[in-house]
Amino acid sequence: MAVLNDMDGRRIVFSASGMRERHRAGDRSLLALAVIALLVVGSVLSLLFSVTTGASDASFLDVIANVAGSDDALSMRDRIIIFDIRMPRAILGFLVGGSLAVSGAVMQGLFRNPLADPGLVGVSSGAGLGAVVMIVLGGGFVAPLYVLLGIYALPFAAFAGGLATTLLLYRIATSNGQTSVATMLLAGIALGSLAGAMTGLLVYMANDQQLRDLTFWGMGSLAGSTWTKIAAAGPIILLSFIAVPFLAKGLNAITLGEAAAFHMGVPVQRLKNIAIVTVAAATGASVAVSGGIGFVGIVVPHVLRMAIGPDHRYLLPASALLGGSLLIFADVIARTIVAPAELPIGIITAAVGGPFFLWILLRQRSRLAL
């Protein structure tokens, strides 16, 4: 225990136990670990819920019994529905939702602002442009690249478009080592509009079949999910998941400013390069297989940051789990709310995410000086 006098002569008592209690009160690591554990359980349940929800008579217990080795638990028709249609759709939805949420969390940490999101700042538009180029011109001058890359051609094109947009955005928004949030948002709108204009030109050039595919794809959907699509986009997304935990400490340090992070020993420029490539890869692969699904990257990290704090060691894995689970539930709603028809999943996420974004914007208005 120590006793000191303040500037007015009053006595202030410091005790080690009191300081430890105050430290523990502000430490949310145990809460974060508990939330992550719950999210793991919730992710498994959401996958099972998606697989067992629909027109098929297969129940949750029937699916579990079949997985456990009981061939009589499901009919041949139900096995096709479960394992060839619903299961790849659920897995792809989880990967896409997780990658979009993680990308949002990384961008918010990199730009030090909760308004950063791959969809809002034009990264998703750039990735979409790359994918549309490959879809429309795949039989033209980019045909050799399509043949060379095979099933990875579409994710690669989307990755290239997202990477180019992200690099250009960061170059425009950063001056003298400082990133302007207002410039970032305005530049993102401009880049998104430019990518949208070029996408519209390519859509105008598309034939009838390509036009139908692009129209539904542009609104975001997991319809047509196959194991082949998972094989194409899954490795890229999984590599992004593996890479982001190594960014956590650097993103924690960069919240204090790039100069402070540099003096703390963080290789700031290398961190930014890895973060930009990771976001572009994850967003590009996701857009290539699911189309335009917005607001997942801004809603999920913001909710988790309010719950478990801004520590990226916990925020990044929690974002992956919650983003995947939420997109699975959004997909279940999209394919059941107007059954037997199917609603584009991008409409569901926009209906929820739009008002949430406005709420965040109003909360941050004084800080952004907008």
Side-chain angles (χ1 to χ4, degrees):
M1 179 182 294
V3 180
L4 298 176
N5 293 327
D6 66 4
M7 296 180 64
D8 296 324
R10 292 173 298 189
R11 299 176 67 202
I12 303 176
V13 180
F14 292 90
S15 67
S17 60
M19 295 179 70
R20 280 196 300 269
E21 300 230 345
R22 281 192 294 273
H23 173 73
R24 279 197 294 268
D27 185 7
R28 287 190 274 184
S29 59
L30 292 179
L31 173 62
L33 291 174
V35 169
I36 290 174
L38 290 175
L39 288 174
V40 170
V41 176
S43 298
V44 174
L45 293 177
S46 66
L47 286 167
L48 292 174
F49 177 70
S50 176
V51 168
T52 56
T53 300
S56 172
D57 295 331
S59 68
F60 173 82
L61 295 178
D62 290 337
V63 175
I64 296 297
N66 186 266
V67 172
S70 176
D71 294 334
D72 297 332
L74 293 174
S75 65
M76 179 60 70
R77 170 181 170 273
D78 287 341
R79 278 199 294 269
I80 293 174
I81 292 174
I82 297 298
F83 296 106
D84 293 339
I85 299 176
R86 290 187 191 168
M87 190 168 289
R89 182 168 183 151
I91 293 174
L92 191 64
F94 185 84
L95 291 174
V96 169
S99 68
L100 293 176
V102 167
S103 297
V106 171
M107 290 197 71
Q108 290 167 19
L110 187 65
F111 287 107
R112 302 190 298 279
N113 192 276
L115 297 182
D117 167 71
L120 295 173
V121 297
V123 178
S124 294
S125 299
L129 174 60
V132 171
V133 168
M134 189 60 67
I135 292 172
V136 176
L137 304 178
F141 73 93
V142 297
L145 183 63
Y146 198 93
V147 174
L148 177 65
L149 296 176
I151 62 173
Y152 295 100
L154 199 60
F156 175 80
F159 162 71
L163 178 61
T165 306
T166 309
L167 290 173
L168 184 57
L169 173 69
Y170 196 84
R171 173 70 69 176
I172 294 172
T174 303
S175 177
N176 298 322
Q178 299 295 321
T179 301
S180 170
V181 176
T183 303
M184 176 194 69
L185 292 174
L186 295 174
I189 293 172
L191 292 175
S193 298
L194 180 61
M198 297 177 69
T199 300
L201 178 61
L202 290 169
V203 170
Y204 181 78
M205 297 168 55
N207 58 39
D208 290 341
Q209 181 60 46
Q210 292 172 339
L211 186 59
R212 283 193 294 269
D213 293 340
L214 288 172
T215 299
F216 196 68
W217 174 83
M219 291 185 287
S221 175
L222 295 173
S225 299
T226 62
W227 294 111
T228 301
K229 286 188 176 181
I230 293 177
I236 300 174
I237 295 175
L238 290 176
L239 285 174
S240 301
F241 286 163
I242 294 172
V244 290
F246 297 98
L247 304 175
K249 290 185 178 180
L251 291 174
N252 285 343
I254 212 170
T255 56
L256 302 175
E258 293 185 9
F262 177 79
H263 289 298
M264 293 170 62
V266 176
V268 175
Q269 192 57 48
R270 187 174 67 183
L271 173 71
K272 292 190 292 186
N273 293 340
I274 295 174
I276 288 172
V277 172
T278 301
V279 168
T283 304
S286 300
V287 169
V289 295
S290 66
I293 298 177
F295 293 104
V296 176
I298 191 171
V299 172
V300 172
H302 195 81
V303 169
L304 288 171
R305 196 176 287 109
M306 291 189 296
I308 64 176
D311 191 337
H312 288 84
R313 294 175 300 170
Y314 308 112
L315 182 63
L316 294 175
S319 295
L321 294 168
L322 182 58
S325 299
L326 286 182
L327 195 62
I328 286 177
F329 281 114
D331 180 58
V332 171
I333 294 172
R335 60 185 171 87
T336 57
I337 192 171
V338 291
E342 181 174 320
L343 197 66
I345 193 173
I347 296 177
I348 303 295
T349 58
V352 176
F356 191 87
F357 173 70
L358 290 176
W359 176 69
I360 296 175
L361 186 62
L362 291 174
R363 288 189 65 201
Q364 301 290 325
R365 181 170 51 186
S366 59
R367 291 181 54 191
L368 295 175
L370 288 175

